[in-house]
Amino acid sequence: MPATARRLLNELESIRLEFGPEAARRRLPLLRAVGRARCLSAADVLRLHEALCFSRAYPDNEAVLAAVERLLAGFARRPDLQQYAGELADSGVAGTAINYRFYATMAGWAAARWPERLRIDWEESDAAKVEGVLPLLATYSETPALDELGLEAAAWLAQLKGPREADGAFLVRRLGELRLGEPGLAGFAHEYLYEQLDLWMVLEAGPGGPSRTAAHWKRAPVAYRTAAPEGRRPDLQRELERAPLSVEKASPAAGRQLVDLAREAMITRSRDLDAFAWADARDVTLIDDGDGLMFVLIGMVPERRLMFEAVYGYLILRNGVPVGYGVVSSLYGSIEVAFNLFETFRGAEAGHLYARLLAGLLRMFTADTFTVYPYQLGGDGNDEGLRTGAWWFYQKLGFRSRDRAILKLMRAELARMKRRPGHRSRPAVLRQLVEGNVYLDLGEPREDIIGRLALAEVGLKVSTYLAKRFGSDRHLAGPTCAREARARLGEPARAPRGAGEKLAWERWAPVVLLLPGVERWTRAEKKALAAVIRAKGGRSESEFVARFDAHRRLRAALVRLARG
């Protein structure tokens, strides 16, 4: 039987990128047969799982899709999966456990959704650290027992937790209920305390739990394939000119579903992304590109937004199946893009998906420059990116460094490739190529863009200003500077509407007070800056980008402040 199952898998994988009526006629009986066959190794179970996930994202026709969905729906009940579930832990396959060092936000999300399954891995965690926070987890009336009884941390949590929650869920939820520090910093203080514990958790398998097997947005449009995905390098300029079918805001209900899908896509792959962890379900944008391809852009809650750039995480969906993810930052008419395809879906259409992503982003943000930072290229310790030659992927699409030494090295490598077509850049050469950002300029190159403009200098000037005025009384800085900034802009003294707007005023106020030449601005320009600040704390951060980028005087003043 193992030989039979492996033969079926080999045949399935051999036609992975073949589509059309003939390929479907071959694929369908293979799917039915492999569903009955029993794999006698964990590796083959995983191979089968990945083949099914790929076919769900790229189905030939309705019959193939139905067969794949039946097999995936019952995958956790397969005898071979149950036999090798231990070996397949952390694979994200339904019916297997997830062992992960959850960060505070994602641990809280998992504890809220699956409280009975989130437990502490005591073999990997430091019990002494947990013992140190036990008095924070119990009520004061329980302290006589804590002081006198010599129970270990695991035993105490078993005593303290409720009947329908595991010890990990209890600890995460109790720490989350503590009120630490001033309101604007309470969440950060809670995260810091939690992460000092350095806990490893186990999210046990069970019905309705997160998995790659079930990862699918049911409301996504379905398109059947009659030809292989576009594997050739795209004509990027032509793709950027071709608009997606639509760009629209998701409803709150759809936003919540998509945020959950994004978070599950991360924890089932032992990854984390701040934009998903701190996602705002009210700020989700759907870019429908047609042919079953969608990009889901997810904004962050106001209190976790960056000071300047607007950050959105995104999922790439093929027929509702997450096939990749990343993060984009936008400001100053420029967009920084990080792009990742999940391993199961690599080798099919990376260039096409990237080109269509950029085309969609141009309809969401007005920009003339894209940039990619070194980690995406294989720098800053990204050995996988270095090994796969990610830098050349972007170079062939038209991205260029602005560093003269890197450009000189690039030209030398291109000359070697011309002389010797099989030449591949040595790792030492690649490490030099990936030392700086690369840029795609759709117009005249500018310096006031992400990656070139040192906005960190603004933060340093704000720090000097606040240190001189407030020192350790920084809790006074936000309200005081907000009142002064509103007065400088001629804004009414009324309190801002909503917590997000209040927070944005307190964060931006020191910058407003330091911006050069604001007193010479027109009333309309001052009013427009106030609208920029309100948008930073508003429902959609993309509105902030549009208002900021349209405010030429603000853009110029911030550049002067950064460089002055």
Side-chain angles (χ1 to χ4, degrees):
M1 184 63 72
T4 302
R6 190 161 297 158
R7 178 183 60 78
L8 294 169
L9 283 170
N10 290 340
E11 289 188 47
L12 265 179
E13 292 172 344
S14 71
I15 59 172
R16 177 174 182 262
L17 294 179
E18 295 180 20
F19 295 91
E22 179 57 32
R25 279 194 292 270
R26 294 176 60 192
R27 199 180 327 270
L28 195 54
L30 287 172
L31 289 170
R32 290 168 176 162
V34 82
R36 295 189 297 269
R38 182 167 180 173
C39 302
L40 295 188
S41 77
D44 281 350
V45 173
L46 189 58
R47 286 176 63 200
L48 171 58
H49 182 268
E50 303 313 285
L52 295 176
C53 289
F54 187 87
S55 289
R56 188 177 201 175
Y58 297 93
D60 304 78
N61 56 34
E62 189 174 358
V64 168
L65 180 59
V68 167
E69 288 184 332
R70 281 195 300 272
L71 291 172
L72 287 173
F75 207 86
R77 298 190 298 272
R78 289 180 62 95
D80 46 12
L81 182 281
Q82 294 173 0
Q83 180 180 355
Y84 298 109
E87 293 181 52
L88 292 171
D90 303 327
S91 66
V93 176
T96 66
I98 296 171
N99 304 274
Y100 189 47
R101 184 185 176 277
F102 289 91
Y103 290 100
T105 310
M106 293 299 287
W109 175 74
R113 298 195 73 192
W114 306 286
E116 73 287 357
R117 298 186 204 164
L118 187 65
R119 63 175 178 82
I120 297 172
D121 185 343
W122 290 105
E123 291 185 4
E124 297 294 334
S125 301
D126 187 343
K129 292 181 178 179
V130 177
E131 288 175 6
V133 300
L134 285 175
L136 300 176
L137 307 179
T139 63
Y140 197 78
S141 59
E142 296 171 279
T143 56
L146 286 172
D147 293 341
E148 297 295 334
L149 301 181
L151 298 180
E152 295 182 349
W156 265 120
L157 288 186
Q159 169 69 28
L160 295 170
K161 73 178 186 64
R164 290 181 292 278
E165 61 186 353
D167 56 5
F170 168 81
L171 184 145
V172 169
R173 295 166 84 174
R174 281 294 294 149
L175 285 180
E177 291 167 358
L178 299 178
R179 297 295 177 259
L180 304 173
E182 56 186 285
L185 297 176
F188 294 95
H190 159 248
E191 286 174 43
Y192 178 80
L193 175 59
Y194 172 83
E195 287 166 16
Q196 293 309 298
L197 299 178
D198 195 26
L199 294 172
W200 282 84
M201 298 282 193
V202 178
L203 184 57
E204 301 282 8
S211 72
R212 296 190 296 110
T213 314
H216 176 249
W217 191 46
K218 296 180 179 179
R219 296 172 59 178
V222 175
Y224 298 112
R225 300 213 66 85
T226 57
E230 183 55 70
R232 295 174 299 178
R233 187 185 313 143
D235 180 334
L236 194 51
Q237 186 58 47
R238 187 172 67 181
E239 292 293 340
L240 294 180
E241 293 171 357
R242 182 166 66 88
L245 293 184
S246 64
V247 179
E248 58 186 29
K249 287 290 183 183
S251 68
R256 288 190 292 271
Q257 293 170 3
L258 291 163
V259 166
D260 284 343
L261 184 65
R263 289 171 173 172
E264 291 184 17
M266 294 295 98
I267 66 172
T268 53
R269 294 173 171 87
S270 299
R271 303 184 189 189
D272 212 330
L273 191 69
D274 282 350
F276 293 160
W278 290 104
D280 189 341
R282 303 173 308 159
D283 190 11
V284 176
T285 300
L286 296 173
I287 301 176
D288 186 349
D289 202 60
D291 194 30
L293 175 61
M294 297 188 78
F295 301 97
V296 181
L297 277 87
I298 301 174
M300 300 173 72
V301 292
E303 59 267 32
R304 294 294 171 146
R305 294 172 183 171
L306 294 186
M307 182 69 190
F308 297 116
E309 301 97 321
V311 175
Y312 281 79
Y314 67 86
L315 275 184
I316 306 173
L317 302 183
R318 266 290 183 198
N319 288 327
V321 177
V323 301
Y325 79 105
V327 63
V328 299
S329 304
S330 182
L331 201 68
Y332 273 99
S334 58
I335 306 174
E336 183 179 73
V337 185
F339 173 76
N340 302 277
L341 287 182
F342 297 133
E343 186 174 359
T344 306
F345 307 99
R346 293 175 188 171
E349 54 173 349
H352 174 71
L353 293 177
Y354 188 70
R356 298 314 303 153
L357 170 65
L358 298 194
L361 292 176
L362 282 181
R363 274 68 187 185
M364 185 168 174
F365 305 106
T366 301
D368 61 10
T369 306
F370 289 101
T371 185
V372 181
Y373 56 89
Y375 184 83
Q376 278 285 297
L377 306 172
D380 297 335
N382 181 3
D383 293 334
E384 182 184 5
L386 198 70
R387 185 173 60 254
T388 58
W391 190 90
W392 286 108
F393 171 83
Y394 294 100
Q395 192 275 345
K396 291 172 182 176
L397 289 175
F399 285 80
R400 295 292 181 269
S401 172
R402 293 193 181 179
D403 183 282
R404 291 183 179 180
I406 293 177
L407 289 172
K408 181 179 179 180
L409 183 59
M410 177 194 74
R411 288 190 287 268
E413 283 296 287
L414 289 172
R416 291 188 185 96
M417 292 174 182
K418 188 174 182 180
R419 292 194 303 270
R420 291 181 289 152
H423 172 76
R424 290 180 60 87
S425 300
R426 293 180 293 108
V429 172
L430 286 172
R431 288 191 183 93
Q432 296 177 64
L433 289 173
V434 301
E435 286 181 355
N437 283 35
V438 293
Y439 302 85
L440 180 70
D441 295 302
L442 306 181
E444 287 297 316
R446 298 183 288 117
E447 287 297 301
D448 57 337
I449 55 174
I450 294 175
R452 304 295 290 178
L453 184 58
L455 292 175
E457 292 298 318
V458 176
L460 190 60
K461 288 181 172 62
V462 168
S463 182
T464 301
Y465 173 74
L466 295 181
K468 184 177 180 179
R469 283 195 65 182
F470 300 97
S472 60
D473 292 326
R474 268 178 168 73
H475 61 285
L476 302 175
T480 302
C481 292
R483 287 194 300 271
E484 295 172 0
R486 292 174 66 84
R488 191 180 194 201
L489 298 181
E491 282 289 292
R494 64 167 178 78
R497 291 189 294 267
E501 185 179 317
K502 178 177 181 293
L503 195 60
W505 271 107
E506 293 190 356
R507 290 176 175 178
W508 265 73
V511 176
V512 173
L513 298 177
L514 289 173
L515 280 176
V518 171
E519 62 278 357
R520 295 188 296 275
W521 290 11
T522 67
R523 177 172 175 75
E525 288 168 337
K526 292 178 181 179
K527 188 174 182 179
L529 172 52
V532 167
I533 296 170
R534 286 194 295 271
K536 190 66 171 179
R539 178 174 179 176
S540 177
E541 202 172 7
S542 59
E543 181 184 346
F544 160 80
V545 177
R547 289 184 178 277
F548 180 96
D549 284 354
H551 201 311
R552 295 187 176 276
R553 211 155 185 185
L554 170 59
R555 291 173 57 163
L558 198 59
V559 168
R560 289 199 301 275
L561 183 59
R563 294 174 178 171

